[in-house]
């Protein structure tokens, strides 16, 4: 095995999402989102917790950027809260929201850090959900107009754009399983949501191209590529069906392949396709983002829905009950490169959740000794390095997450950050993993290719 240092021009970044870190949910004209509403129903979120304050980054972004700069981070992926820009999802622009993101982007530039903005990380304006949400075509059309406003108002400071974060979660967790906002349990609505999310992505790309805005635009997926439990043909078929549902429903139309009809037929689903939709969805993207945390295994089961059954695996799991499978990241990078040849790839999220306490050191300093997180990241960095060695056009890696935050339905019970947030005082404390990342970026760590 060869030792490999990441290329000199490789982008090392970190990531967050607006509702998870910003707080200030009732300030400066921001409207309600579905994630402001969802936690108010008892049982939806652990402990009934909300993102009303979160990590208070809305007021503390300068402190956070100083920590990013001290670690040598080269990029910060954040998301724009749609209801900060358009409180009702459409209509008059809230200039206070625009000015906040201008200040944030300018502060990042001043620190030598590249802003990477995600247009949609799940905080749909509640008014749009009240009108039907993502299962309705009007939401995709509203998203395209919102995206164009962001390009026009922020495009001089932000030139790296991601349209959607994990549309799988929006469609399936939000509209079929009810585990995320808006908490609906309607498979047919989820299928319509998938198409309108894809269409919204395409409309945003179309607005970016037609406006001749500077920079690059892509999309971030949480692909799921379960491996077959055995070499038996039926288990391989189960894996193919699972991949069609969990990944190809999102990647295939963007890649110009339409939707996986075999899966739609098996599931008995139809999509609200209109003439020209697939052309809009399949416009050229400048990059694709991967959010990777785990990989599972499946077997064929005649009695299971869609004939697919998840099976136990041997790998240790994180506190999220996710098996730790670094080789799955390597496999995923190869798979997506084959699906979208010559499209640059980024790992836009990868990280490790723990429950953590501050440990006082003999000198009185506060430390968080998260060595298991460091080991998780080290093995996944090595998988990424192997992919680069194989010729995969992987251009950057964003660690999830910069700071502990509101972890959706888990509330504040899970911590993903490389910076600890004391939710009472809002004190920021770099963890040992923060210092490890600093060493990686400085080039002091080597990985096996």
């Amino acid at each position: 095995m060869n030792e490999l240092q990441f290329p000199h021009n490789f982008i090392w970044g970190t990531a967050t999402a607006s509702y998870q870190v910003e707080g200030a949910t009732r300030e400066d004209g921001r409207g309600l989102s579905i994630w402001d509403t969802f936690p108010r129903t008892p049982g939806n979120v652990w402990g009934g917790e909300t993102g009303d304050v979160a990590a208070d980054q809305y007021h503390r972004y300068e402190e956070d950027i100083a920590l990013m700069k001290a670690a040598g981070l080269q990029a910060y992926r954040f998301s724009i809260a749609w209801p900060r820009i358009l409180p009702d999802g459409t209509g008059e622009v809230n200039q206070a929201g625009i000015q906040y993101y201008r200040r944030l982007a300018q502060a990042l530039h001043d620190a030598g850090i590249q802003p990477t903005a995600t247009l949609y990380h799940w905080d749909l304006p509640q008014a749009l959900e009240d009108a039907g949400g993502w299962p309705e075509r009007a939401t995709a059309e509203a998203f395209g107009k919102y995206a164009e406003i962001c390009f026009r108002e922020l495009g001089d400071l932000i030139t790296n754009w991601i349209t959607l974060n994990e549309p799988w979660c929006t469609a399936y967790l939000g509209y079929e399983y009810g585990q995320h906002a808006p908490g609906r349990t309607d498979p047919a609505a989820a299928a319509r949501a998938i198409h309108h999310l894809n269409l919204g992505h395409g409309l945003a790309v179309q607005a970016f191209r037609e406006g001749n805005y500077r920079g690059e635009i892509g999309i971030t997926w949480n692909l799921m590529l379960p491996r077959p439990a055995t070499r038996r043909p039926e288990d391989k078929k189960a894996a193919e069906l699972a991949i069609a549902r969990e990944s190809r429903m999102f990647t295939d139309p963007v890649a110009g392949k339409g939707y996986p009809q075999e899966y739609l037929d098996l599931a008995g689903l139809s999509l609200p396709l209109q003439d020209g939709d697939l052309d809009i969805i399949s416009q050229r993207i400048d990059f694709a983002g991967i959010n990777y945390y785990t990989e599972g295994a499946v077997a064929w089961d005649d009695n299971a829905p869609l004939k697919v059954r998840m099976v136990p695996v041997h790998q240790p799991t994180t506190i999220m009950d996710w098996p730790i499978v670094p080789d799955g990241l390597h496999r995923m990078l190869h798979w997506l490169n084959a699906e979208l040849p010559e499209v640059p790839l980024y790992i836009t999220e990868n990280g490790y959740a723990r429950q953590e306490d501050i440990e006082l050191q003999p000198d009185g300093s506060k430390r968080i000794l998260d060595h298991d997180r460091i080991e998780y990241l080290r093995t996944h960095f090595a998988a990424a390095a192997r992919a680069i060695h194989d010729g995969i056009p992987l251009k950057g890696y964003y660690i999830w997450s910069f700071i502990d935050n509101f972890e959706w339905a888990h509330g504040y019970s899970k911590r993903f950050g490389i910076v600890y947030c004391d939710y009472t005082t809002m004190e920021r404390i770099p963890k040992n993993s923060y210092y490890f990342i600093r060493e990686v970026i400085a080039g002091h760590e080597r990985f096996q290719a």
Side-chain angles (χ1 to χ4, degrees), residues 29-319:
R30 179 187 178 279
L32 281 176
S33 83
I34 56 175
W35 272 100
D36 295 299
T37 304
F38 184 71
R40 265 65 188 184
T41 298
N44 280 350
V45 173
W46 187 88
E49 294 171 334
T50 75
D52 288 356
V53 177
D56 196 31
Q57 190 172 88
Y58 190 82
H59 300 111
R60 299 169 187 266
Y61 66 88
E62 292 175 318
E63 180 182 356
D64 288 346
I65 291 170
L67 284 168
M68 294 176 204
K69 182 177 181 180
L73 287 158
Q74 299 154 317
Y76 178 42
R77 177 186 170 227
F78 59 92
S79 75
I80 295 172
W82 190 347
R84 280 203 197 281
I85 306 303
L86 295 165
D88 292 320
T90 60
E92 187 174 349
V93 175
N94 176 32
Q95 283 300 321
I98 295 291
Q99 291 308 311
Y100 167 69
Y101 292 109
R102 290 192 64 82
R103 293 193 302 272
L104 174 63
Q106 186 61 61
L108 288 164
H109 281 295
D110 292 346
I113 298 170
Q114 170 190 291
T116 298
T118 303
L119 288 164
Y120 185 72
H121 201 132
W122 306 354
D123 42 4
L124 182 70
Q126 183 63 46
L128 291 180
E129 175 58 27
D130 292 344
W134 283 109
E136 300 301 320
R137 189 179 186 89
T139 300
E141 294 168 346
F143 178 73
K145 293 173 183 175
Y146 152 70
E148 199 282 328
I149 290 167
C150 291
F151 302 147
R152 184 181 70 238
E153 299 286 345
L154 302 170
D156 59 324
L157 291 171
I158 301 171
T159 55
N160 285 68
W161 297 93
I162 294 169
T163 55
L164 305 175
N165 178 79
E166 299 184 357
W168 183 98
C169 290
T170 297
Y172 288 135
L173 297 185
Y175 289 96
E176 181 164 344
Y177 303 139
Q179 296 171 1
H180 278 191
R184 291 162 63 177
T185 53
D186 183 345
R192 295 196 305 274
I194 289 171
H195 179 61
H196 293 137
L197 285 156
N198 290 334
L199 179 62
H201 155 79
L203 291 169
V205 175
Q206 185 177 70
F208 187 80
R209 302 288 183 221
E210 290 178 352
N212 293 313
Y213 294 101
R214 292 188 303 123
E216 297 185 335
I217 190 166
I219 187 170
T220 279
W221 291 304
N222 60 322
L223 303 178
M224 298 189 187
L225 307 175
R227 57 193 183 274
T230 74
R231 295 183 179 183
R232 293 194 304 250
E234 57 267 36
D235 287 349
K236 292 180 179 180
K237 181 64 174 177
E240 291 170 3
L241 284 171
I243 290 168
R245 169 182 160 82
E246 312 297 349
S247 295
R248 291 193 182 280
M249 284 291 290
F250 305 94
T251 60
D252 275 10
V254 172
K257 302 174 184 178
Y259 287 100
Q261 194 61 47
E262 182 181 10
Y263 161 69
L264 291 174
D265 291 344
L266 186 63
L269 295 172
S270 61
L271 300 176
L273 273 166
Q274 294 187 14
D275 288 346
D277 282 3
L278 292 176
D279 290 335
I280 293 171
I281 295 168
S282 62
Q283 292 171 100
R284 176 181 60 86
I285 54 174
D286 298 307
F287 63 89
I290 292 172
N291 292 356
Y292 178 83
Y293 294 93
T294 190
E295 179 191 79
V298 296
W300 184 270
D301 185 342
D302 284 321
N303 298 316
L306 302 178
K307 313 300 183 184
V308 177
R309 174 171 53 87
M310 296 295 296
V311 297
V313 297
H314 72 278
Q315 288 91 350
T317 59
T318 70
I319 197 173

Side-chain angles (χ1 to χ4, degrees), residues 418-431:
I418 59 171
V419 172
Y420 183 92
C421 181
D422 183 320
Y423 295 122
T424 301
T425 66
M426 292 298 144
E427 180 183 9
R428 273 79 163 131
I429 304 169
K431 304 177 186 179

Side-chain angles (χ1 to χ4, degrees), residues 293-430:
Y293 294 93
T294 190
E295 179 191 79
V298 296
W300 184 270
D301 185 342
D302 284 321
N303 298 316
L306 302 178
K307 313 300 183 184
V308 177
R309 174 171 53 87
M310 296 295 296
V311 297
V313 297
H314 72 278
Q315 288 91 350
T317 59
T318 70
I319 197 173
M320 302 291 288
D321 201 29
W322 296 340
I324 300 171
V325 192
D327 285 345
L329 175 58
H330 184 260
R331 286 188 282 267
M332 184 174 289
L333 289 165
H334 273 271
W335 185 89
L336 189 55
N337 181 61
E339 296 296 309
L340 294 169
E342 301 182 3
V343 174
L345 305 179
Y346 289 84
I347 297 165
T348 41
E349 287 183 25
N350 175 245
Y352 182 91
R354 307 171 81 237
Q355 290 176 333
E356 294 169 319
D357 294 308
I358 299 169
E359 300 185 34
L360 287 175
Q361 302 303 297
D363 63 359
S365 62
K366 299 176 180 178
R367 296 294 291 270
I368 293 89
L369 308 178
D370 55 341
H371 300 301
D372 48 351
R373 177 179 287 116
I374 291 171
E375 182 59 23
Y376 176 95
L377 291 171
R378 185 189 302 278
T379 57
H380 286 76
F381 292 169
R386 293 201 308 276
I388 293 171
H389 183 264
D390 296 341
I392 301 299
L394 180 63
K395 304 300 183 182
Y397 204 123
Y398 291 77
I399 292 95
W400 184 270
S401 63
F402 168 69
I403 191 168
D404 296 332
N405 54 52
F406 177 81
E407 189 47 45
W408 308 113
H410 298 285
Y412 296 98
S413 66
K414 309 288 191 292
R415 292 178 178 266
F416 272 96
I418 59 171
V419 172
Y420 183 92
C421 181
D422 183 320
Y423 295 122
T424 301
T425 66
M426 292 298 144
E427 180 183 9
R428 273 79 163 131
I429 304 169

